[in-house]
Structure formats: C-alpha cells, structure tokens
Amino acid sequence: RQDAFRSFFFIAVTFLLGWLFVKSKIKAHIAVTALATLILVDMWPVNKRYLDESDFVSKKEASEPYLANQADQFILQDTDPNFRVLDLTVSTFNSSRASYFHKSIGGYHGAKMQRYQELIDFYITKEMQQLIRTLQSSPSDSSIRNTLNDLEVLNMLNTKYVIINPETPPLANPNALGNAWFVDNITWVDNADMEIAALEQVNPGETSVVDERFRGVLEGINPMESPEAEIELTSYAPNHLTYKSSSSTDEVAVFSEIYYSKGWQAFIDGEPVPHFRTNYVLRGVKVPAGDHTIEFRFEPATYSRGENIALASSILLLLLIIGSLGKEFYAFIKKE
C-alpha cells in the first residue's frame, strides 16, 4: 500500500512537470533537472532496501563473515564425513551462521523445498520446542537422554550435535541414526498425507514409511535386518555420495539424504538401480545380500542435455568462424 501511494505521488509530479513543459511554463533544462532529481529521490530509498552499509564491508569481513566459537571448534574436530547440526542459539531457519561451518538442520533459502518445509512445520519445530523445554527445566542427564531419544525426526535427519551455548561444547546426540541404516519393517501408505502422519507412529530406525506408488521398486523384498548387516558412508561430496554395505540377506536401506528424483541417480557396484522416497523426505534403496558399493550421483538429464546443446552450438559457431575466415582467405588469394 505504501509503494502504491509512492508511485501515485511520483506519477502525479511527473505528469505536472510534463504539463508545465508542454505549456511553456518552465524551460527544458529545468524540466530535465527536476525529472532527474525526481528519479533519484524515487530510486534511492528503494535501492537502500537491497544495499545498505552492511553490504560495503572490508574484504576480510566479506570472506570471513563469522568467527568460529567454542561450540563450532569442537564440532569441526569430528572426522565423520557427514552429519547435521542444530543451532538453538540463533533463529534456526532464518540464520546462515550454522550453515557456514556445518551441515545444518536449518538455514535460510527463499526457495526451500515444500516437503522439507512441511516437515519443519509438522515435526521439527515441535521437537525443537520439546528439547528447549527440557533444557530450561534444570534437567538431569537422564531426562536429556530421554528427550533426545524421543526426537524421531531430528534423529532420522542425523542431528549429531545441538548447539545450546556458543561458548561451551555442544550437546552430543547419541540417538542420531547416522548417514544410512537398514530397517526391519515397511509401513505402506496410500498418499503423502498418510506418509507424513505415519512418522508420528513409527520408529524410523526400525521402520520405513513408503508410499504405495513405490511398491514395484520393493517387490519381493521382505526386510529383516540381520545382526551382522552393516552400511556406512565412505565418501561425501554435494553431488556424489559413496557407501559400503555388507549383509547376508537382502535388505532395505534408508539414507539420511533428501529424495529428489529430478537429478539424483542410485548405483550399486556401478550399475544403475531404482531408489524410492521413504519417511516423506528421505531416500531408500533395496540392497542385495553380499558386499556392495552404493552410490548416489547428481546427474540431472536437463544438465546433460544443456551441455550437449552448448557443445553442439560451440562446434557450429567454430565451424562458421573457420568457414568465414576460409572464405575471406580464398577471396584474398584469388584477388592477388
């Protein structure tokens, strides 16, 4: 509403300047100067919304926007290739501080995935509040352990550390389920609403909640985690994750990574295999018995297609340039 009134004011003044100039009430240089001033007055406060004093900082401040506190330094000593951190000392979903140092449960992005936002609204915020209430009630070690054990969604997201004070070591969460695990059961649901609701009724460390649309991917599997079955993350990159698995029977593995079918591809021993969505946001794969290497690679078809088009266009442009130069050279030789 304020911007609408601002626009009305500037349009009216601009119209008045135009009318005065057309009626020869003011000279051209006065009209141009007044119009330029009006444009400056209009643009200045709007631009200040996007660029202010905080955007003009030293190179050092720009390259090091945050300094690691004691909690950060403690976490950075962990050699685990991948885990997540929940920072309760900031606005968890509006601050980028934790994400600067760690893989964070929170952080901010204007285009957040809808499914993850729904997970925040349904469970993560409530579990954070549950943990905060426990921490504020002069808790004992046992009450903290019990609360951490109850945080099913944060645990399946592999929340290994919780920062509760920047100047003290973080709270370690022994109940984080890790980067990947095998499950004993599958709970089938008919749609997304039932899938997210079912998370409140299951232990994600033992049960995988799967939409009926993925039943074909898991056909013939009867999950029953064998005691000796193991799976672990061996290397991590944002677009390529590698796991090692070992089991005496076919298993269903759940991976603590966001399911996004428009790019992520699963491979077992180098061969592509289908994967499925589980627990509303995570990935799952049917893993055959034996020792295997499991990979997830981000290989969107649109990117490959765009690369091929760009390559073909570059080759065509190069040929046109060579052809043009050849034609000019031939014309020059013929002229001589």
Side-chain angles (χ1 to χ4, degrees):
R1 185 169 62 248
Q2 290 176 343
D3 280 348
F5 281 119
R6 286 182 72 262
S7 298
F8 175 78
F9 168 77
F10 286 114
I11 292 170
V13 175
T14 302
F15 176 81
L16 178 61
L17 287 172
W19 183 82
L20 291 173
F21 174 71
V22 169
K23 295 296 183 179
S24 300
K25 302 292 185 181
I26 57 175
K27 296 184 180 297
H29 68 279
I30 296 177
V32 170
T33 302
L35 186 59
T37 303
L38 192 66
I39 292 172
L40 180 62
V41 171
D42 179 24
M43 293 181 64
W44 186 271
V46 174
N47 290 344
K48 288 281 285 184
R49 299 177 187 178
Y50 302 96
L51 290 173
D52 56 26
E53 289 77 7
S54 64
D55 295 292
F56 298 91
V57 298
S58 69
K59 183 178 180 180
K60 178 176 175 59
E61 288 179 279
S63 60
E64 298 181 13
Y66 302 109
L67 296 177
N69 55 42
Q70 186 174 340
D72 296 322
Q73 292 171 358
F74 182 95
I75 296 171
L76 291 171
Q77 295 175 13
D78 194 320
T79 57
D80 187 334
N82 187 31
F83 55 83
R84 296 188 182 89
V85 175
L86 172 62
D87 191 349
L88 296 179
T89 66
V90 297
S91 178
T92 304
F93 301 107
N94 292 292
S95 171
S96 60
R97 192 192 185 288
S99 301
Y100 183 76
F101 295 103
H102 320 292
K103 300 178 183 73
S104 172
I105 287 294
Y108 173 79
H109 196 286
K112 191 176 297 178
M113 288 183 67
Q114 182 177 346
R115 276 184 176 267
Y116 193 69
Q117 183 61 53
E118 289 167 349
L119 200 70
I120 292 171
D121 295 338
F122 273 76
Y123 293 109
I124 297 178
T125 300
K126 290 191 293 186
E127 291 189 354
M128 287 169 54
Q129 292 170 348
Q130 180 182 353
L131 179 57
I132 290 171
R133 285 195 299 269
T134 299
L135 295 172
Q136 290 176 341
S137 62
S138 301
S140 62
D141 289 343
S142 61
S143 64
I144 293 176
R145 284 196 301 270
N146 291 337
T147 298
L148 291 173
N149 185 60
D150 291 339
L151 308 181
E152 303 283 16
V153 170
L154 286 174
N155 289 335
M156 81 175 191
L157 294 176
N158 197 19
T159 309
K160 191 173 182 179
Y161 295 102
V162 181
I163 299 177
I164 55 178
N165 185 332
E167 302 310 322
T168 62
L171 179 64
N173 179 17
N175 301 289
L177 293 177
N179 299 297
W181 60 94
F182 293 123
V183 293
D184 299 329
N185 308 291
I186 296 176
T187 295
W188 294 99
V189 293
D190 293 333
N191 53 51
D193 289 345
M194 295 177 65
E195 188 177 358
I196 195 170
L199 288 178
E200 197 167 15
Q201 312 297 327
V202 303
N203 177 353
E206 299 175 353
T207 301
S208 170
V209 180
V210 185
D211 193 301
E212 281 284 349
R213 73 183 70 181
F214 297 106
R215 187 177 283 274
V217 178
L218 290 170
E219 193 167 0
I221 188 75
N222 183 23
M224 185 180 297
E225 183 190 356
S226 55
E228 73 281 2
E230 295 180 348
I231 185 169
E232 64 173 344
L233 178 71
T234 56
S235 70
Y236 173 90
N239 61 346
H240 188 187
L241 296 91
T242 304
Y243 305 80
K244 293 288 186 183
S245 73
S246 177
S247 63
S248 57
T249 59
D250 294 350
E251 302 285 351
V252 172
V254 175
F255 300 84
S256 188
E257 299 291 335
I258 294 292
Y259 174 85
Y260 185 72
S261 60
K262 299 177 179 63
W264 281 104
Q265 308 294 330
F267 300 83
I268 295 181
D269 299 330
E271 297 296 323
V273 295
H275 67 292
F276 59 93
R277 188 185 67 240
T278 179
N279 297 354
Y280 200 68
V281 295
L282 302 185
R283 308 174 194 168
V285 169
K286 181 171 69 173
V287 180
D291 299 332
H292 300 285
T293 298
I294 304 167
E295 296 174 274
F296 281 101
R297 306 177 202 160
F298 189 67
E299 299 176 346
T302 52
Y303 177 79
S304 301
R305 193 179 304 120
E307 286 283 279
N308 292 334
I309 293 172
L311 177 61
S313 300
S314 297
I315 293 173
L316 180 61
L317 179 61
L318 184 61
L319 291 175
L320 287 172
I321 293 173
I322 293 173
S324 298
L325 292 175
K327 183 178 179 181
E328 291 295 323
F329 181 73
Y330 176 77
F332 175 78
I333 294 297
K334 189 174 181 180
K335 184 177 180 181
E336 290 294 323

